[in-house]
């Protein structure tokens, strides 16, 4: 059965639909001319060859209809889940595509950050219908959108607080420039002044008098190209100050002895050897920190690993490493206590974490005690949550005697009488079959391999 | 007093964004011109230095 992607309503040129697990794009006749130019001019070929645009092949192509089958993105992510450098790379990709398109007489008609997705740690442009003919002397119509979707969050993350990309979840069409300008105050550097503050003033001024017609704005091709080069340089120069947070160096500063760390790695590998996955399977690493175990898992299975962490800097550090090592890992910012929700029109444009698909395997290492002790979640709530997002689960139980748990209990009353390995085992058994259980050497921690009840078996 | 951005509801903010592009593109083109000018001056000096080097040899 066909199901139409609701967020496609924004584009009159066509829409995306899904059928039998495949992704299709129907192109409306009003866009045929542009589409044929994209394909025949060599632009599509250059972009796809350089892994800048999602590839497709034509299923139907005649004078009445064009339907494409588009390569599937393994896991859809959104800009409010990206670290600073992921958003920066997505912005640079958008500008670069414009520069390439201009060579072929085309330009992007929109510059939404949702037009970029990640495959592993590589950004890729997914909206094949975003290209329009470049008209000599016309300014770039998507400049305002580019500012709200990319420049505004980047300067806020750099100059105010790295967590401010969360505003993108509230403002689905980018951060309003008046809000960004107010949050920046006197900060923002030249990029903030030029693109945010002056643009905001220009918007406010022309809102008030309405005297200047946009038709009077005329720019040469050279001016537009110079503008793209300047924006590219300005964005490349933006970088976060280097600082270390708790989670990004977690595995360098744990309470594990080296023997315990070795033992933990060995057990995880042993559990993995009991399972078999393909490149179609998704693996979640929840509370992934710097991605140490995401990389271990990625080396064992051909599957795609999504590494979630609440700490933007840990995600950034993981992204850098995965990107340089060309790993099949997508690091994302996610607060599991308050994961991304369904947003947009009728709450159906961008999917929540829970609606975006399940994993074949989930790793939840050194994570349970944070859910239960720091956030008062019961074992039942945690077990039910995991049973909804994964088929297999490798989970670490950290006992109350462990120094990290003691640290959590130092500042709060110990109301967690139920917190024991016996209760954990009993409660999780209501949702999962426990396949294996091992104690980590020289520690008061245990690892469990579980399979959700009534799940399709992947055990070798 | 701050003006809250709800006015955008009745106004296409695109106009202000298009107009500011004149300034942004102007700054970019000016920058490109100076960069070109700087490179030309640099090349003249490098050329002179090379000439001097070949004379010394």
């Amino acid at each position: 059965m066909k199901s139409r992607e609701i967020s496609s309503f924004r584009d009159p040129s066509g829409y995306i639909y899904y059928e039998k697990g495949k992704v299709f794009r129907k192109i409306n006749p009003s866009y045929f001319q542009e589409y044929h130019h994209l394909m025949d001019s060599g632009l599509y070929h250059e972009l796809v060859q350089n892994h800048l645009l999602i590839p497709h092949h034509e299923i139907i192509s005649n004078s009445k209809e064009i339907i494409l089958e588009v390569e599937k993105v393994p896991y859809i992510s959104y800009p409010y889940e990206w670290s600073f450098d992921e958003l920066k790379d997505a912005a640079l990709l958008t500008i670069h595509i414009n520069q390439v398109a201009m060579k072929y007489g085309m330009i992007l008609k929109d510059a939404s950050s949702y037009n970029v997705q990640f495959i592993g740690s590589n950004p890729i442009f997914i909206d094949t219908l975003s290209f329009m003919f470049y008209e000599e002397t016309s300014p770039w119509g998507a400049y305002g959108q580019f500012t709200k979707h990319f420049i505004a969050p980047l300067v806020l993350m750099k100059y105010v607080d790295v967590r401010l990309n969360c505003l993108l979840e509230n403002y689905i069409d980018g951060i309003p420039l008046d809000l960004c300008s107010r949050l920046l105050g006197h900060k923002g550097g030249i990029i903030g002044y030029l693109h945010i503050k002056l643009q905001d003033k220009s918007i406010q001024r022309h809102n008030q008098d309405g005297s200047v017609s946009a038709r009077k704005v005329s720019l040469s091709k050279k001016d537009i190209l110079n503008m793209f080069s300047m924006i590219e340089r300005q964005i490349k120069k933006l970088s976060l100050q280097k600082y270390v947070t708790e989670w990004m160096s977690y595995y360098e500063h744990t309470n594990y002895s080296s023997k315990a760390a070795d033992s933990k790695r060995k057990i995880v590998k042993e559990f993995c050897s009991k399972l078999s996955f393909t490149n179609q399977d998704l693996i979640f690493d929840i509370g992934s920190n710097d991605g140490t175990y995401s990389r271990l898992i990625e080396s064992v299975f051909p599957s795609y690993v999504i590494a979630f962490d609440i700490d933007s800097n840990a995600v950034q550090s993981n992204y850098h490493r995965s990107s340089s090592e060309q790993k099949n890992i997508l690091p994302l910012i996610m607060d599991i206590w308050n994961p991304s929700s369904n947003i947009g029109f009728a709450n159906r444009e961008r999917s929540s974490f829970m609606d975006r698909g399940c994993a074949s395997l989930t790793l939840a290492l050194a994570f349970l005690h944070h859910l239960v002790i720091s956030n008062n979640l019961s074992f039942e709530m945690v077990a039910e949550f995991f049973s909804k997002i994964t088929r297999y689960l490798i989970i670490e139980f950290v006992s109350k005697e462990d120094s990290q748990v003691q640290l959590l209990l130092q500042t709060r009353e110990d109301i967690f009488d139920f917190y024991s390995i016996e209760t954990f085992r009993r409660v999780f058994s209501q949702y999962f079959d426990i396949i294996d259980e091992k104690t980590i050497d020289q520690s008061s921690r245990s690892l469990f391999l579980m399979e959700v009840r009534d799940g399709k078996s992947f055990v070798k | 007093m701050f003006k809250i951005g709800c006015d955008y509801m009745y106004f296409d903010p695109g106009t202000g964004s298009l107009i500011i592009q004149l300034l942004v593109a102007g700054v970019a083109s000016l920058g490109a011109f100076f960069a070109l000018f700087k490179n030309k001056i640099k090349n003249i000096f490098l050329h002179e230095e090379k000439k001097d080097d070949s004379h010394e040899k």
Side-chain angles (χ1 to χ4, degrees), chain A residues 319-334:
Chain A
Y319 175 66
H320 272 255
R321 197 153 164 199
S322 301
S323 186
S324 63
E325 293 171 8
Q326 284 296 306
K327 294 282 185 188
N328 205 15
I329 297 172
L330 171 60
L332 294 176
I333 301 167
M334 189 72 70

Side-chain angles (χ1 to χ4, degrees), chain A residues 140 143-144 178 182 195 198-200 202-203 206-208 212 214 217-219 223 226-227 230, chain B residues 2-5 7-8 11 13 15-25 27-29 32:
Chain A
W140 183 33
Y143 168 70
D178 60 327
R182 215 162 290 151
H195 300 287
L198 286 182
Q199 191 177 166
D200 176 43
S202 173
I203 290 169
H206 297 294
N207 182 12
Q208 280 164 10
V212 183
V217 182
S218 142
L219 287 171
D223 285 333
N226 283 335
M227 184 176 80
M230 183 183 76
Chain B
F2 287 128
K3 230 169 139 340
I4 304 298
D7 291 350
Y8 295 166
F11 168 69
T15 309
S17 296
L18 292 179
I19 290 163
I20 203 68
Q21 263 187 80
L22 285 172
L23 180 73
V24 174
V27 171
S29 294

Side-chain angles (χ1 to χ4, degrees), chain A residues 405-416:
Chain A
V405 177
Q406 285 301 315
L407 205 64
L408 292 178
L409 287 170
Q410 256 176 23
T411 50
R412 56 183 13 229
E413 192 189 345
D414 184 357
I415 51 165
F416 308 98

Side-chain angles (χ1 to χ4, degrees), chain A residues 144 146-161 164-165 167-168 171 174-189 191-193 195-201 203-204, chain B residues 2-3 5 8:
Chain A
F146 182 82
T147 316
K148 293 195 293 175
H149 277 246
F150 291 108
I151 301 180
L154 284 171
V155 293
L156 286 174
M157 287 169 89
K158 175 175 169 56
Y159 291 102
V160 185
D161 194 296
L164 281 175
N165 63 333
L167 287 175
L168 290 168
Y171 296 101
I175 300 172
L177 297 187
D178 60 327
L179 173 64
C180 181
S181 182
R182 215 162 290 151
L183 288 170
L184 282 172
H186 297 294
K187 298 174 194 166
I191 186 171
Y193 185 73
H195 300 287
I196 308 288
K197 291 176 187 175
L198 286 182
Q199 191 177 166
D200 176 43
K201 277 183 189 158
I203 290 169
Q204 306 262 4
Chain B
F2 287 128
K3 230 169 139 340
Y8 295 166

